[in-house]
Amino acid sequence: MKGIPPVPEGECSLIEEIKGRFSSRDSGVLVGIGDDASMLSTPGSPLLVTTDAMVEGVHFDLSIMTPFQVGYKLAVSNISDIHAMGGRPAWAQLALSVDSGRAEGFVDGFFDGLKDALDRYGVVLTGGDLTGSRGVISVSLSLLGLSGERVFKRNGANPGDWIYLTGPLGEPSIGFYLLKRLGLPVAFERGERLELEGETVWMEHLIRRFVLPELPDAPVQYGDRITSMIDISDGLSLDLWRICHQSGVGATLIEDDLPITPQMKMAAEQTGIELLGHILGGGEDYQLLFTSPEDIPDFYRIGRITSDGFLILRKTGREEKLPLRGYQHLVSV
């Protein structure tokens, strides 16, 4: 495909290898490996199935996050995948691996956060597995959901489609940056506030977006007007590339149209961070990116699908190659 970056080494290339090795002609598999969730045929509504794992030291750090926040975020990351397919999350299975010496200080808060998120989005925990570990805590959630009238996949974008976002990107990434500078957890779930001199409301907003993300409403009401959709978990650039790669198209983003919140502007003024990097590659936003040939109101239109190329139109009016930023596992550094 002309102008589109090749499959990056690491997580993306491994997924492509798995797709090749485990491709199936089973008629019950309606959507297989490579999308936000798989879809399985059942006598009633097709089932959407997704799994996300979180490993201590990779996905979370208990020196700056509470167990409640880990449980909450595990649920939200899975639920976002079901929303991206246009489905309704329904049932969950949990796998938890924790050292017996650390279980007492972790498990209660973790379950509180997990239950809070599952209850909020109407999901029932139906079972799972508990095991001991040697030090590192690992958690995994598998989620089953019911598909809606229309299933949104990554491979339907066409040249000429507009690119839309359900909300601003970059706030969780900036919140993570601020939280690392702070160096200790903030238990917002217990009503804690930042104890710093000066105005901290903007900081609390950004940190909360990282530790207790809220999901947007999926634009399911626009049905057939949407050609593709994905949730932004690994960064705008990488997740847009996934749509382009699977649809066989290119894309051009417009920097001037990328939404920036007042809290993000305040962070840039106070810390000197470069906002575009957080917007393109920060990740863990859990907003939805979708494409449509039509004008869709109430969402952010940030670019256009093209026949080839992977570009960004800068504020200067100059087109540049869009850097392939975003988080990937299994990349050597």
Side-chain angles (χ1 to χ4, degrees):
M1 195 187 314
K2 293 190 300 181
I4 302 298
V7 177
E9 290 298 319
E11 181 182 356
C12 287
S13 60
L14 184 57
I15 290 173
E16 291 297 310
E17 181 180 341
I18 293 170
K19 284 172 63 177
R21 287 194 180 193
F22 293 92
S23 61
S24 173
R25 296 180 181 177
D26 188 325
S27 61
V29 180
L30 303 180
V31 179
I33 298 166
D35 224 301
D36 284 289
S38 55
M39 183 167 68
L40 308 178
S41 177
T42 65
S45 175
L47 281 179
L48 297 169
V49 186
T50 188
T51 300
D52 266 326
M54 294 175 63
V55 179
E56 185 180 13
V58 178
H59 301 89
F60 64 91
D61 179 350
L62 290 173
S63 71
I64 58 172
M65 289 181 70
T66 67
F68 181 102
Q69 292 162 1
V70 175
Y72 187 94
K73 202 165 187 179
L74 176 67
V76 164
S77 65
N78 274 270
I79 293 166
S80 181
D81 285 335
I82 299 295
H83 284 180
M85 302 284 287
R88 178 178 67 83
W91 307 283
Q93 292 263 316
L94 171 70
L96 168 63
S97 180
V98 59
D99 189 298
S100 59
R102 304 178 65 196
E104 184 175 352
F106 177 80
V107 169
D108 282 349
F110 170 80
F111 283 147
D112 285 344
L114 181 69
K115 187 175 190 306
D116 187 271
L118 294 181
D119 287 350
R120 176 172 298 193
Y121 294 102
V123 180
V124 176
L125 185 67
T126 61
D129 185 41
L130 303 176
T131 67
S133 73
R134 295 183 177 179
V136 174
I137 297 171
S138 174
V139 293
S140 176
L141 196 72
S142 293
L143 193 61
L144 285 79
L146 300 174
S147 62
E149 293 183 6
R150 168 77 194 282
V151 175
F152 303 103
K153 299 187 288 184
R154 300 177 179 181
N155 63 358
N158 299 299
D161 286 354
W162 296 105
I163 303 169
Y164 291 93
L165 286 174
T166 54
L169 306 179
E171 287 191 331
S173 175
I174 298 170
F176 179 47
Y177 166 79
L178 295 171
L179 193 56
K180 287 192 295 183
R181 289 182 59 176
L182 187 64
L184 73 163
V186 184
F188 293 115
E189 64 273 12
R190 296 202 301 266
E192 282 189 7
R193 303 288 302 274
L194 291 180
E195 296 183 2
L196 300 173
E197 293 184 4
E199 177 57 57
T200 60
V201 173
W202 64 273
M203 290 183 64
E204 290 181 350
H205 171 87
L206 295 170
I207 293 173
R208 179 183 283 272
R209 285 283 291 115
F210 172 70
V211 297
L212 295 173
E214 295 185 4
L215 299 179
D217 292 330
V220 294
Q221 69 271 31
Y222 295 102
D224 292 338
R225 297 165 67 181
I226 294 175
T227 54
S228 68
M229 188 151 65
I230 188 173
D231 83 318
I232 304 293
S233 55
D234 294 325
L236 171 60
S237 175
L238 184 57
D239 286 327
L240 175 60
W241 175 87
R242 288 181 167 122
I243 279 185
C244 291
H245 176 66
Q246 295 200 24
S247 299
V249 296
T252 298
L253 292 181
I254 302 171
E255 184 180 5
D256 265 336
D257 292 341
L258 296 172
I260 297 175
T261 66
Q263 293 86 356
M264 293 168 67
K265 291 179 181 178
M266 182 67 76
E269 292 171 4
Q270 296 293 322
T271 69
I273 60 170
E274 190 258 326
L275 293 181
L276 185 61
H278 287 276
I279 293 170
L280 293 180
E284 299 198 33
D285 297 283
Y286 304 116
Q287 296 289 343
L288 300 174
L289 180 149
F290 63 95
T291 58
S292 174
E294 301 183 29
D295 182 34
I296 305 292
D298 303 321
F299 296 99
Y300 297 96
R301 191 163 71 183
I302 62 167
R304 201 150 202 180
I305 296 296
T306 58
S307 58
D308 56 52
F310 199 61
L311 305 171
I312 182 169
L313 179 62
R314 300 302 303 269
K315 293 178 182 290
T316 60
R318 178 181 175 182
E319 280 191 343
E320 299 177 1
K321 287 186 177 181
L322 180 61
L324 199 56
R325 298 179 180 176
Y327 186 79
Q328 275 205 92
H329 295 282
L330 310 177
V331 176
S332 298
V333 294

